[in-house]
Amino acid sequence: MNVLACIKRVPNTGAKIVLTDDNQRIDTSNLGFTMSPHEECAVEEAIQQVETHGGSTHVLTLGPEEATEQLRTGLAMRADEATLLETDGEEWGPRETASAIATAIRDLPEDDAEFDLLLFGNESADMANYQVGVRVATELDLPCVTGIKSLEVEDGVATAKREIGGGEEVYEIDLPAVVSVKEGINEPRYASMRAKMQARRQEVGRLEPDRTEAPGTFEKTRLEAPEADDSDAMVLGEGTDAVPEIVELLESEIEVL
Amino acid sequence: MILGFVEHESGVPEETSLEMLTMARELATDEEAVLCAVVFGDEGAALKDELGPYGIEEIHHVTHDRLEGYAPEGWGESVAQLVSDLGASTVAAAGTDRGHEVLAHAGATLDAPMATNCVDVTGAGESYEVRRDRWGGSLVEHARLEGETKLVTAAEHEYPIEEAASTTEPTVNEFTPSLEDAHLRVRVERVETADEEGIPLGEARVVVGGGRGVGGPEDYDKLEELADLLGGTVGASRAAINEGWRPHDDQIGLTGAQISPDIYIACGISGAVQHMVGCKGADKILAINTDSEAAIVQKADYAVIGDLHEVVPELTDAIREVT
Ligand SMILES: Cc1cc2nc3c(=O)[nH]c(=O)nc-3n(C[C@H](O)[C@H](O)[C@H](O)COP(=O)(O)OP(=O)(O)OC[C@H]3O[C@@H](n4cnc5c(N)ncnc54)[C@H](O)[C@@H]3O)c2cc1C
């Protein structure tokens, strides 16, 4: 079984989001980057499925040259191959992204072994457009299900489960299929030091994606970091001395006692 | 025409869908357009009385002998066909799993642009200005959304549920899409109910959260004890889940649960934005942290500067004494 996991490089924002002066992007000068948590689970899921069923795993991202860092994280987790759809670092919208990924999937893998399972994160951490996986599926005419937190494959059929209030919806889908997953579907492994070293030397394929025009526009004009309430909390006290204060708070203010 | 995709449980509309209708009605008013609803399911027609107060003029009830349960592609395709049939300029849905999924399918089929988790949409005709949530609302994107057909979802719990100035008497039109096998290849085969243990995080009135500061899986017992006494439940930060101390179901935040308790007691949690967006709905936050400079001390309403391993057990004992 050949499994593809599509991932995205996002800033590891900490306690506060700071924007660049032109309000066009997050000021990342003091930030590290990571892949979105849902996608980390997509990579883990791809690897686990191939561990069970045999085959090969491929990680793919559309992003700037620096996004090879996230592909190498995938390789260090023991994905077999990686491909970068290299952009100039501009933020691409969901339709352009989906179209470029669909085109790349048609061309990969080289030996014409088609992907049986195409995994996406349910929504990216930084943009949360909730549509790239679905649009890719439509372009490739593949069945698709989103928001999945449990996945089992047997005899070419994927049984996928989505959490709903009080239970789970169960889907059964013939492969090949697109599945977008949520964090919690598995516990992503930590790569060993050795695997990280090896991943650094592994080859990353590169493709230059075309930025296609589609009818209509969905385009960012600017970002805004809403005023956070930065007034300090009322300090009830230090250490166990504060306990009577907390009890008083829970009793009279919050009224939960 | 503005078309709202209304989710419902046996003919009773979901709150999030009613919130969405507030957004859709504002657009319809500005554009002097007709506000309509698209609904699925056997009891769809029962929404006639439910949706009148919200100013819906037409209910388009999708029926098809092969559309029994939920089928993401089938529903998305039906919405797309209805849009073409009616010439709707905008389709709106709630920013729920289903809302996003159905609209994404419709958007892909129509090759139309889609803006998710909107908190404000203004404009008329083919061009909208939208403000939408990113990073769970810790960042807001201003964007232009233009097209013959536009798709928007309303961020959950951002719009109030509001009735229209005057109640309408919606007509119910049955709509039968033409569906092929391919549209029905994904559908809910069955629903498995889970035995909920304790109070679900999202519904708890008191949540006691534990982060990396808890230091290991054993010490969550102390938080459990406190939560039990307060009739609440325990949550955790992603750091604690990554350490393997707690199951992912306990995670609060961007990629975990959203909570809305009367009080959230955050122990040994630093206050990263991705964590804090999960507790936006909390009435009050009490932070227990050794570091008076931790971000959560600014973001909380109350703080105790101290070691949770000392404060929490002592607090539990003190509460036992007064109750
Ligand atoms: C895209 C993305 C999505 C994410 N989604 C989520 C999410 O959904 N939920 C989430 O929680 N995080 C999420 N994160 C991670 C988030 O950025 C933080 O890394 C995480 O929340 C930190 O957890 P923490 O506060 O427990 O740990 P830390 O940041 O390490 O903080 C530990 C705190 O404990 C205090 N402490 C230590 N010892 C004690 C003691 N004995 N007593 C009292 N206090 C003590 C310290 O002073 C410190 O403030 C996400 C990150 C990314 C990049």
Side-chain angles (χ1 to χ4, degrees), chain A residues 59-89:
Chain A
V59 284
L60 177 147
T61 192
L62 179 134
E65 154 69 26
E66 291 81 2
T68 45
E69 181 191 343
Q70 279 61 49
L71 291 174
R72 288 195 198 284
T73 304
L75 291 171
M77 287 167 76
R78 293 297 189 216
D80 298 304
E81 287 177 74
T83 299
L84 172 69
L85 307 185
E86 191 173 346
T87 67
D88 53 5

Side-chain angles (χ1 to χ4, degrees), chain A residues 7-112:
Chain A
I7 65 172
K8 186 173 187 191
R9 172 183 171 88
V10 298
N12 203 342
T13 55
K16 194 165 188 271
I17 294 183
V18 180
L19 298 178
T20 52
D21 288 341
D22 61 3
N23 291 320
Q24 287 299 317
R25 50 179 70 221
I26 293 177
D27 182 354
T28 53
S29 44
N30 294 315
L31 295 180
F33 287 80
T34 179
M35 70 174 99
S36 295
H38 297 322
E39 292 136 39
E40 206 175 314
C41 290
V43 176
E44 176 64 33
E45 193 60 33
I47 294 165
Q48 288 187 14
Q49 292 295 344
V50 166
E51 280 171 353
T52 311
H53 301 283
S56 152
T57 48
H58 201 126
V59 284
L60 177 147
T61 192
L62 179 134
E65 154 69 26
E66 291 81 2
T68 45
E69 181 191 343
Q70 279 61 49
L71 291 174
R72 288 195 198 284
T73 304
L75 291 171
M77 287 167 76
R78 293 297 189 216
D80 298 304
E81 287 177 74
T83 299
L84 172 69
L85 307 185
E86 191 173 346
T87 67
D88 53 5
E90 284 295 310
E91 204 169 80
W92 284 36
R95 285 201 293 167
E96 307 160 314
T97 303
S99 164
I101 291 175
T103 305
I105 289 172
R106 283 199 199 94
D107 298 343
L108 292 169
E110 280 158 27
D111 54 6
D112 276 344

Side-chain angles (χ1 to χ4, degrees), chain B residues 211-212 237-238 251-255 268 270 274-275 289 307-308:
Chain B
R212 202 193 309 275
S237 72
R238 184 164 182 252
Q251 184 170 317
I252 296 166
L254 190 62
T255 49
S270 64
Q274 300 91 350
H275 184 78
N289 202 301
D307 187 338
L308 70 94

Side-chain angles (χ1 to χ4, degrees), chain A residues 206-249:
Chain A
R206 274 159 213 268
L207 293 172
E208 264 182 39
D210 279 329
R211 205 167 176 172
T212 50
E213 296 271 337
T217 315
F218 166 47
E219 198 173 55
K220 174 187 77 183
T221 46
R222 70 186 170 90
L223 298 175
E224 178 193 339
E227 283 300 312
D229 169 21
D230 276 351
S231 59
D232 280 349
M234 183 200 278
V235 177
L236 299 178
E238 296 202 1
T240 49
D241 291 350
V243 166
E245 261 47 62
I246 309 177
V247 175
E248 168 69 20
L249 173 77

Side-chain angles (χ1 to χ4, degrees), chain A residues 13-15 91 95 127-128 135 146 162 166 168-170 183 217 219 221-222 224 231 233-234 236 239, chain B residues 98 101 111-112 116 132 134 140 142 144 146 189-190 192 238 251 255 274 297-299 301 303 305:
Chain A
T13 55
E91 204 169 80
R95 285 201 293 167
M127 288 169 82
R135 288 187 191 269
T146 67
R162 175 194 297 177
E168 287 174 320
E169 290 173 343
V170 184
E183 191 179 38
T217 315
E219 198 173 55
T221 46
R222 70 186 170 90
E224 178 193 339
S231 59
M234 183 200 278
L236 299 178
Chain B
R98 250 185 214 189
E101 186 170 55
D111 198 11
T116 52
R132 59 179 296 270
R134 285 197 184 189
V140 174
H142 295 244
R144 271 184 316 123
E146 292 175 354
E189 300 290 334
R190 57 185 185 276
E192 292 175 354
R238 184 164 182 252
Q251 184 170 317
T255 49
Q274 300 91 350
V297 176
Q298 260 146 42
K299 297 177 181 184
D301 302 284
I305 309 306

Side-chain angles (χ1 to χ4, degrees), chain B residues 13 35 41 53 82 95 102 105 117 132 150 161 189 214 216 242 310 322:
Chain B
L35 180 61
L82 188 60
V102 171
H105 276 290
N117 284 335
R132 59 179 296 270
K150 301 169 289 302
I161 296 174
E189 300 290 334
V214 178
N242 284 351
E310 292 165 13
V322 298

Side-chain angles (χ1 to χ4, degrees), chain B residues 39-98:
Chain B
V39 299
F40 289 78
D42 288 344
E43 307 95 341
L47 286 159
K48 192 172 172 3
D49 298 329
E50 299 280 341
L51 295 180
Y54 301 96
I56 299 289
E57 294 186 46
E58 300 165 15
I59 294 176
H60 297 275
H61 181 211
V62 180
T63 48
H64 192 287
D65 51 9
R66 296 184 67 192
L67 270 187
E68 262 168 47
Y70 176 54
E73 283 182 272
W75 286 32
E77 174 65 25
S78 303
V79 171
Q81 288 180 17
L82 188 60
V83 165
S84 308
D85 240 43
L86 301 171
S89 59
T90 302
V91 191
T96 53
D97 280 350
R98 250 185 214 189

